[in-house]
Amino acid sequence: MDSPELSTAGREALQSALRAGERAPSVCNSRPWIISEERGRVAVIADPDSRLDVADPQSRELVLSCGAALYNIRAALRAEGVVPEVAILPDPDRPGRLAEVAAGRAAEPE
């Protein structure tokens, strides 16, 4: 997933995707993620400090909540006319980094 220089439309699509990811539903509204733009990609990172110790001792709900954020990011990119390119668990040395999403080719939303 090499990141060529993003067009203005691609950059705007990523900003829209960032906002959509932040508004995703999560267990008890805990928002257990860190979502950021890095090198022209949106990174979804699990935030263990936001895990609900009693309600979610094995972090299952944390990961599901991060999945909801990832879904919102992908849906926002599609709404902007961009095909998302997703890499799941892109860095084996950082298992909390759950996904990276890049703006792919332009395509009309379905």
Side-chain angles (χ1 to χ4, degrees), residues 25-64:
S26 62
V27 62
C28 296
N29 203 27
S30 59
R31 298 174 45 156
W33 54 67
I34 299 166
I35 299 174
S36 62
E37 182 183 356
E38 301 172 5
R39 302 176 320 275
R41 297 182 178 115
V42 176
V44 179
I45 304 164
D47 181 8
D49 294 335
S50 297
R51 183 175 62 88
L52 303 172
D53 294 332
V54 175
D56 189 23
Q58 296 181 344
S59 300
R60 178 175 165 74
E61 300 295 327
L62 178 145
V63 174
L64 288 173

Side-chain angles (χ1 to χ4, degrees), residues 33-35 42-46 66 69-70 73 96-101:
W33 54 67
I34 299 166
I35 299 174
V42 176
V44 179
I45 304 164
C66 290
L70 177 60
I73 290 165
R97 186 178 204 79
L98 300 178
E100 289 181 356
V101 184

